Amino acid sequence: MSVILDGKQLATERRNQVKDRVEILIEKYHVRPQLVVILIGHDMASETYVSGKEKACRKAGIESRVIRLEESVSENKVMELISSLNQDKSVHGILLQLPIPKQLDPDKLMAAISPEKDVDGFTPTNVWRLASGHPELVPCTPLGIMHILEKYEIGVEGKQCVIIGRSQIVGKPMAQLLLNANGTVTICHSKTRNLPSVAKTADILVVAIGKPKLVDDTYIKEGATVIDVGISRTEGKLVGDVDFEKAVQKAGYITPVPGGVGPMTIACLLENTISCYQKLVGE
Ligand code: GUN
């Protein structure tokens, strides 16, 4: 029988630690940490994620400000906003919620965010730091997954790690983190041949493809660790990229959806915000 990896419980522990730390920091520096989220347009999933982030910040004593911009906003307007937030000393973290409308270049806008306030770890400086093995601010979802593996003492060194999905947000940084931890890493994507048989080589399988219940027991080696990053709503229910009922028969360890990776992403966002704050106040 599989061990269920309880991301929700671990996230609660880590969020409580952030809250305690925030109290100590405010006492010392008389400044409250502040995260600013830029939300452009009206993507429904983004609205949900952003309100989850706001709520978590509030609970941890971090001030959270959401700046909403119209779908039709120009790139110059967003660049100006980012520049003013970079210079604003009361702002410690800046997050540009993705996806953004088509007229805007995500690479250009991300690159405009100060690397010191880059709570997502998406700026070129932080991407390079991770790629070169000296990470500072690391993307929240893969970072949360590494914390889950550590908590349950699932070693990475020497293991076959297969990632399904090559996104900038999850797949690529996940590969870097597993590689930095001495895993042997394979990244699969839409053009990969014989996906189930490649997935089946994995000791650690990370699925971040956005296809509900794609991965069933035929993708999983007996005893493997299965990490499900997907979250979709089908028939009013939240489901992951992994068919949990089938996968649980084969996996040694598995994350549920909801209650697995999702809560850890938010906990890591709070931790990254505090890391930015500490650096900016000179802690
Ligand atoms: N959209 C979906 N996930 C994320 C994330 O982790 N960061 C940002 N900025 N946008 C997202």
Side-chain angles (χ1 to χ4, degrees), residues 49 53 95-99 110 120 122 141 169 265:
Y49 291 142
K53 288 169 186 176
L95 185 150
L96 173 63
Q97 185 66 28
L98 299 172
M110 278 300 171
D120 263 324
F122 292 166
T141 300
I169 295 178
T265 299

PDB file of all heavy atoms in Angstrom, residues 49 53 95-99 110 120 122 141 169 265, ligand 1:
ATOM      1  N   TYR A  49      -6.042  31.220  -7.951  1.00  0.00           N
ATOM      2  CA  TYR A  49      -4.694  31.110  -7.374  1.00  0.00           C
ATOM      3  C   TYR A  49      -4.345  32.386  -6.602  1.00  0.00           C
ATOM      4  O   TYR A  49      -3.809  32.323  -5.501  1.00  0.00           O
ATOM      5  CB  TYR A  49      -3.629  30.914  -8.468  1.00  0.00           C
ATOM      6  CG  TYR A  49      -3.678  29.580  -9.173  1.00  0.00           C
ATOM      7  CD1 TYR A  49      -3.436  29.494 -10.540  1.00  0.00           C
ATOM      8  CD2 TYR A  49      -3.934  28.402  -8.489  1.00  0.00           C
ATOM      9  CE1 TYR A  49      -3.468  28.275 -11.204  1.00  0.00           C
ATOM     10  CE2 TYR A  49      -3.965  27.179  -9.146  1.00  0.00           C
ATOM     11  CZ  TYR A  49      -3.737  27.123 -10.507  1.00  0.00           C
ATOM     12  OH  TYR A  49      -3.760  25.915 -11.155  1.00  0.00           O
ATOM     13  N   LYS A  53      -3.318  32.993  -2.691  1.00  0.00           N
ATOM     14  CA  LYS A  53      -2.036  33.587  -2.282  1.00  0.00           C
ATOM     15  C   LYS A  53      -2.276  34.743  -1.304  1.00  0.00           C
ATOM     16  O   LYS A  53      -1.584  34.884  -0.299  1.00  0.00           O
ATOM     17  CB  LYS A  53      -1.266  34.088  -3.516  1.00  0.00           C
ATOM     18  CG  LYS A  53      -0.703  32.960  -4.376  1.00  0.00           C
ATOM     19  CD  LYS A  53      -0.176  33.440  -5.732  1.00  0.00           C
ATOM     20  CE  LYS A  53       0.241  32.264  -6.609  1.00  0.00           C
ATOM     21  NZ  LYS A  53       0.674  32.627  -7.962  1.00  0.00           N
ATOM     22  N   LEU A  95       5.211  39.526  -7.979  1.00  0.00           N
ATOM     23  CA  LEU A  95       4.808  38.314  -8.717  1.00  0.00           C
ATOM     24  C   LEU A  95       3.905  38.717  -9.875  1.00  0.00           C
ATOM     25  O   LEU A  95       2.881  39.373  -9.661  1.00  0.00           O
ATOM     26  CB  LEU A  95       4.073  37.373  -7.751  1.00  0.00           C
ATOM     27  CG  LEU A  95       3.668  35.994  -8.273  1.00  0.00           C
ATOM     28  CD1 LEU A  95       3.656  34.984  -7.128  1.00  0.00           C
ATOM     29  CD2 LEU A  95       2.322  36.000  -8.958  1.00  0.00           C
ATOM     30  N   LEU A  96       4.333  38.389 -11.079  1.00  0.00           N
ATOM     31  CA  LEU A  96       3.499  38.617 -12.266  1.00  0.00           C
ATOM     32  C   LEU A  96       2.766  37.311 -12.551  1.00  0.00           C
ATOM     33  O   LEU A  96       3.394  36.316 -12.959  1.00  0.00           O
ATOM     34  CB  LEU A  96       4.389  39.015 -13.449  1.00  0.00           C
ATOM     35  CG  LEU A  96       3.686  39.135 -14.808  1.00  0.00           C
ATOM     36  CD1 LEU A  96       2.639  40.243 -14.794  1.00  0.00           C
ATOM     37  CD2 LEU A  96       4.722  39.393 -15.906  1.00  0.00           C
ATOM     38  N   GLN A  97       1.470  37.294 -12.290  1.00  0.00           N
ATOM     39  CA  GLN A  97       0.701  36.055 -12.449  1.00  0.00           C
ATOM     40  C   GLN A  97       0.612  35.662 -13.921  1.00  0.00           C
ATOM     41  O   GLN A  97       0.281  36.475 -14.781  1.00  0.00           O
ATOM     42  CB  GLN A  97      -0.706  36.239 -11.848  1.00  0.00           C
ATOM     43  CG  GLN A  97      -1.568  35.001 -11.846  1.00  0.00           C
ATOM     44  CD  GLN A  97      -1.048  33.877 -10.939  1.00  0.00           C
ATOM     45  OE1 GLN A  97      -0.380  34.137  -9.942  1.00  0.00           O
ATOM     46  NE2 GLN A  97      -1.333  32.650 -11.287  1.00  0.00           N
ATOM     47  N   LEU A  98       0.917  34.405 -14.204  1.00  0.00           N
ATOM     48  CA  LEU A  98       0.845  33.858 -15.571  1.00  0.00           C
ATOM     49  C   LEU A  98      -0.404  32.992 -15.695  1.00  0.00           C
ATOM     50  O   LEU A  98      -0.843  32.428 -14.701  1.00  0.00           O
ATOM     51  CB  LEU A  98       2.094  33.031 -15.856  1.00  0.00           C
ATOM     52  CG  LEU A  98       3.422  33.794 -15.781  1.00  0.00           C
ATOM     53  CD1 LEU A  98       4.593  32.826 -15.890  1.00  0.00           C
ATOM     54  CD2 LEU A  98       3.503  34.877 -16.845  1.00  0.00           C
ATOM     55  N   PRO A  99      -1.018  32.856 -16.835  1.00  0.00           N
ATOM     56  CA  PRO A  99      -0.612  33.431 -18.119  1.00  0.00           C
ATOM     57  C   PRO A  99      -0.999  34.906 -18.230  1.00  0.00           C
ATOM     58  O   PRO A  99      -1.860  35.393 -17.490  1.00  0.00           O
ATOM     59  CB  PRO A  99      -1.414  32.588 -19.112  1.00  0.00           C
ATOM     60  CG  PRO A  99      -2.647  32.168 -18.366  1.00  0.00           C
ATOM     61  CD  PRO A  99      -2.231  32.023 -16.948  1.00  0.00           C
ATOM     62  N   MET A 110       9.113  39.493 -17.315  1.00  0.00           N
ATOM     63  CA  MET A 110       9.757  38.786 -16.193  1.00  0.00           C
ATOM     64  C   MET A 110      11.158  39.337 -15.956  1.00  0.00           C
ATOM     65  O   MET A 110      11.585  39.543 -14.828  1.00  0.00           O
ATOM     66  CB  MET A 110       9.858  37.284 -16.497  1.00  0.00           C
ATOM     67  CG  MET A 110       8.596  36.519 -16.224  1.00  0.00           C
ATOM     68  SD  MET A 110       8.111  36.629 -14.495  1.00  0.00           S
ATOM     69  CE  MET A 110       6.490  35.883 -14.619  1.00  0.00           C
ATOM     70  N   ASP A 120       9.063  34.390  -7.532  1.00  0.00           N
ATOM     71  CA  ASP A 120       8.795  33.223  -8.374  1.00  0.00           C
ATOM     72  C   ASP A 120      10.084  32.527  -8.828  1.00  0.00           C
ATOM     73  O   ASP A 120      10.031  31.389  -9.303  1.00  0.00           O
ATOM     74  CB  ASP A 120       8.076  33.670  -9.666  1.00  0.00           C
ATOM     75  CG  ASP A 120       6.574  33.503  -9.586  1.00  0.00           C
ATOM     76  OD1 ASP A 120       6.116  32.530  -8.971  1.00  0.00           O
ATOM     77  OD2 ASP A 120       5.866  34.346 -10.169  1.00  0.00           O
ATOM     78  N   PHE A 122      11.719  33.420 -11.488  1.00  0.00           N
ATOM     79  CA  PHE A 122      11.590  33.315 -12.945  1.00  0.00           C
ATOM     80  C   PHE A 122      12.475  34.297 -13.716  1.00  0.00           C
ATOM     81  O   PHE A 122      12.482  34.286 -14.947  1.00  0.00           O
ATOM     82  CB  PHE A 122      10.138  33.578 -13.385  1.00  0.00           C
ATOM     83  CG  PHE A 122       9.137  32.521 -12.969  1.00  0.00           C
ATOM     84  CD1 PHE A 122       7.774  32.781 -13.044  1.00  0.00           C
ATOM     85  CD2 PHE A 122       9.538  31.275 -12.532  1.00  0.00           C
ATOM     86  CE1 PHE A 122       6.837  31.818 -12.682  1.00  0.00           C
ATOM     87  CE2 PHE A 122       8.610  30.305 -12.159  1.00  0.00           C
ATOM     88  CZ  PHE A 122       7.258  30.583 -12.236  1.00  0.00           C
ATOM     89  N   THR A 141       6.724  25.820  -6.958  1.00  0.00           N
ATOM     90  CA  THR A 141       6.170  24.462  -7.051  1.00  0.00           C
ATOM     91  C   THR A 141       7.268  23.400  -6.977  1.00  0.00           C
ATOM     92  O   THR A 141       7.194  22.489  -6.136  1.00  0.00           O
ATOM     93  CB  THR A 141       5.297  24.319  -8.317  1.00  0.00           C
ATOM     94  OG1 THR A 141       4.227  25.261  -8.221  1.00  0.00           O
ATOM     95  CG2 THR A 141       4.730  22.920  -8.447  1.00  0.00           C
ATOM     96  N   ILE A 169       7.686  26.972 -15.539  1.00  0.00           N
ATOM     97  CA  ILE A 169       7.225  27.134 -14.155  1.00  0.00           C
ATOM     98  C   ILE A 169       7.536  25.890 -13.318  1.00  0.00           C
ATOM     99  O   ILE A 169       7.905  25.995 -12.152  1.00  0.00           O
ATOM    100  CB  ILE A 169       5.696  27.423 -14.130  1.00  0.00           C
ATOM    101  CG1 ILE A 169       5.397  28.759 -14.806  1.00  0.00           C
ATOM    102  CG2 ILE A 169       5.139  27.405 -12.726  1.00  0.00           C
ATOM    103  CD1 ILE A 169       3.916  29.119 -14.877  1.00  0.00           C
ATOM    104  N   THR A 265       3.144  24.876  -2.771  1.00  0.00           N
ATOM    105  CA  THR A 265       3.499  26.006  -3.639  1.00  0.00           C
ATOM    106  C   THR A 265       3.273  27.320  -2.887  1.00  0.00           C
ATOM    107  O   THR A 265       4.122  28.226  -2.905  1.00  0.00           O
ATOM    108  CB  THR A 265       2.639  25.983  -4.921  1.00  0.00           C
ATOM    109  OG1 THR A 265       2.906  24.771  -5.629  1.00  0.00           O
ATOM    110  CG2 THR A 265       2.932  27.159  -5.826  1.00  0.00           C
TER     111      THR A 265
HETATM  112  N1  GUN B   1       0.592  30.666 -12.891  1.00  0.00           N
HETATM  113  C1  GUN B   1       0.470  29.376 -12.494  1.00  0.00           C
HETATM  114  N2  GUN B   1       1.414  29.068 -11.574  1.00  0.00           N
HETATM  115  C2  GUN B   1       2.147  30.201 -11.396  1.00  0.00           C
HETATM  116  C3  GUN B   1       3.264  30.509 -10.577  1.00  0.00           C
HETATM  117  O1  GUN B   1       3.798  29.688  -9.815  1.00  0.00           O
HETATM  118  N3  GUN B   1       3.720  31.794 -10.675  1.00  0.00           N
HETATM  119  C4  GUN B   1       3.161  32.706 -11.518  1.00  0.00           C
HETATM  120  N4  GUN B   1       3.698  33.931 -11.540  1.00  0.00           N
HETATM  121  N5  GUN B   1       2.141  32.445 -12.286  1.00  0.00           N
HETATM  122  C5  GUN B   1       1.628  31.195 -12.227  1.00  0.00           C
END
